[in-house]
């Protein structure tokens, strides 16, 4: 299926003339049309603009002057600003007329590389859920592996589109797991780069943009385009080569963490799949050392309170009629912040630094680790109409105990499929691989090595039903 080809395969086919960008764009649009009625992955499609861009790309290929990602289709999450495009952040509380007045750095880098941004993908209110549940869209995004379930979030539509074959490249954002969780629940590769590796606007603590793809090679291609300087992000890192380097597994030191220190317990099938991955690395010559969780309940609850206050300030400033349109779950989540004092909020903010120090220290013990292995989440995908696995705004983050630390620590973290649950309708189980700060290239190399070690993967759920 043309729409299900990888970015590397498309670039090769464009180079030889076997395929044209116009042919590919038409195939992607047709695949989206065939699946959208059940998946609800997209909030906007620009078919006319995409085909015009594909014709321009085709001309560059014929002239022998292609760009790095010329003619490769890409979707953008709705919170990635594009001038003149709707910018409602997944919530009905945003006016219908809201449009972006600037181009976010990741959108600009992909455009400059020749990628065709043909659609925007759905997300929950303000990107603050791990599902696609939203006050803005009539139906939440669905998981192509089982449409009764969520693809995860907040990059919900991006993950559903990637797993269903809406082209090879999809751009998400992540502040507590919003790329890696949907990647894990949809069998994808999801990269949360080192903080600052991909300049972004608006920028704030823990927030990154990164790829959702079906293989590591495509994530690396996409990161190379995204990781270019942009002075609008004051947290950007100096330019660096992010190309995955050859990586010898023999002697590599890997930590294995199956208990995060708080949150939901890891379910047996998930633990078995992650342990099997660790054993496979051992057989390839790596040294695997179990490590204890380093996150505390105080850290998690403090960050939760700080985020509640940040969101409550934004929501409480809305006119009453707009505020009433926010998803009720989100309103219930932020409500306690109205009673927080300054000391509570400051203590919550301080837990970001406490978690940053603990996560980096876990890699730098008496016997330093090269990488860390963990589940992406303690459980597989859950029902699409739930905001979170527990669906309890008083306990909203029990499932992000393995992902949140590495937003705060600024380390790169990769989700890649480890295996599947048993049963009549198997579901993906995500393996998270964490690298040292700034070592995005090494992390991608280890992810690619895992793709070679793991058992054969099940076919992608490209077909309806």
């Amino acid at each position: 299926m043309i729409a299900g080809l990888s970015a590397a395969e498309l670039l090769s086919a464009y180079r030889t003339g076997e395929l044209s960008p116009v042919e590919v764009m038409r195939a992607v649009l047709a695949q989206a049309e065939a699946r959208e009625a059940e998946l609800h992955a997209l909030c906007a499609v620009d078919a006319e603009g995409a085909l015009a861009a594909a014709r321009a790309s085709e001309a560059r290929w014929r002239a022998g002057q292609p760009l790095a990602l010329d003619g490769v289709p890409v979707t953008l999450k709705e919170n990635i600003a594009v001038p003149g495009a709707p910018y409602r952040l997944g919530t009905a509380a945003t006016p219908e007329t809201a449009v972006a007045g600037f181009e976010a750095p990741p959108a600009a880098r992909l455009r400059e590389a020749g990628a065709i941004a043909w659609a925007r993908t759905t997300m929950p209110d303000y990107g603050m859920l791990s599902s696609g549940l939203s006050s803005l869209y009539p139906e939440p995004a669905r998981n192509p592996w089982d449409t009764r379930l969520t693809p995860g979030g907040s990059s919900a539509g991006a993950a559903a589109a990637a797993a269903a074959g809406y082209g090879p490249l999809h751009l998400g954002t992540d502040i507590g797991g919003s790329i890696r969780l949907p990647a894990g629940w949809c069998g994808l590769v999801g990269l949360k780069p080192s903080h600052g590796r991909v300049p972004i606007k608006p920028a704030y603590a823990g927030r990154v943009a990164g790829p959702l793809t079906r293989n590591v090679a495509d994530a690396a291609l996409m990161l190379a385009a995204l990781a270019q300087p942009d002075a609008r992000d004051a947290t950007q890192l100096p330019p660096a080569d992010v190309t995955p380097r050859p990586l010898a597994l023999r002697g590599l030191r890997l930590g294995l963490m199956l208990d995060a220190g708080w949150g939901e317990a890891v379910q047996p099938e998930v633990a078995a799949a992650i342990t099997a991955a660790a054993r496979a690395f051992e057989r390839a010559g790596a040294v695997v050392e179990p490590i204890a969780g380093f996150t505390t309940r105080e850290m998690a609850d403090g960050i939760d309170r700080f985020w509640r206050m940040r969101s409550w300030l934004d929501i409480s400033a809305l006119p009453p009629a707009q505020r009433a349109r926010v998803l009720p779950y989100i309103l219930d989540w932020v409500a306690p912040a109205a009673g927080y004092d300054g000391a509570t909020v400051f203590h919550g903010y301080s837990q970001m630094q406490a978690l940053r120090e603990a996560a980096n220290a876990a890699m730098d013990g008496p016997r330093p680790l090269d990488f860390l292995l963990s589940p992406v989440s303690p459980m597989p995908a859950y029902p699409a109409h739930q905001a979170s696995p527990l669906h309890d705004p008083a306990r909203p983050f029990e499932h992000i105990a393995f992902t949140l630390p590495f937003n705060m620590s600024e380390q790169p973290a990769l989700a890649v499929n480890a295996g599947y649950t048993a049963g009549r309708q198997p579901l993906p189980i995500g393996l998270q691989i964490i690298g040292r700060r700034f070592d995005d290239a090494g992390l991608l190399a280890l992810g690619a090595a895992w793709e070679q070690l793991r058992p054969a993967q099940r076919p992608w759920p490209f077909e309806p039903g």
Side-chain angles (χ1 to χ4, degrees), residues 278-340:
R279 299 292 84 83
F281 279 119
E282 278 186 326
R283 290 191 295 273
V287 177
V288 177
E289 177 180 329
I291 72 164
F294 49 80
T295 310
T296 66
R297 173 59 66 178
E298 181 182 14
M299 294 173 187
D301 287 351
I303 293 170
D304 180 17
R305 292 187 189 104
F306 176 76
W307 281 352
R308 288 182 198 232
M309 176 57 82
R310 189 196 69 186
S311 296
W312 181 81
L313 289 172
D314 290 340
I315 291 170
S316 65
L318 295 173
Q322 287 177 241
R323 192 184 317 146
R325 297 190 188 107
V326 175
L327 191 74
Y329 182 99
I330 296 290
L331 291 175
D332 289 344
W333 171 61
V334 303
Y340 294 167

Side-chain angles (χ1 to χ4, degrees), residues 20-174:
S20 78
V22 173
E23 183 180 5
V24 169
M25 198 64 252
R26 285 178 176 150
V28 169
L29 289 166
Q31 176 67 4
E33 185 176 4
R35 297 303 307 277
E36 261 305 281
E38 61 176 343
L39 296 182
H40 312 288
L42 307 179
C43 57
V45 175
D46 182 9
E48 185 177 329
L51 290 171
R55 287 189 287 271
S57 173
E58 187 173 77
R60 289 191 292 271
W61 279 103
R62 286 177 175 169
Q65 298 177 324
L67 303 168
L69 294 174
D70 221 328
V72 179
V74 62
T75 68
L76 306 179
K77 188 175 177 181
E78 197 212 342
N79 64 348
I80 300 293
V82 175
Y87 195 54
R88 300 189 65 187
L89 306 179
T91 178
T94 306
E96 292 181 17
T97 55
V99 296
F102 66 96
E103 184 177 36
R109 299 297 86 78
L110 292 169
R111 175 182 53 77
E112 292 160 359
I116 300 174
W118 63 278
R120 300 175 68 75
T121 54
T122 56
M123 57 183 278
D125 288 54
Y126 304 109
M128 290 308 297
L129 299 178
S130 298
S131 77
L133 194 62
S134 163
S135 62
L136 180 57
Y137 316 122
E139 283 287 333
R142 304 298 182 120
N143 192 318
W145 293 92
D146 183 340
T147 55
R148 297 169 298 180
L149 306 179
T150 183
S154 63
S155 303
Y166 293 21
L169 303 182
H170 306 269
L171 183 68
T173 60
D174 190 315

Side-chain angles (χ1 to χ4, degrees), residues 19 28 71 89 113 183 242 278 311 344 367 436:
L19 289 173
V28 169
L89 306 179
V242 294
S311 296
T344 298
R367 293 180 293 179
R436 290 180 161 273

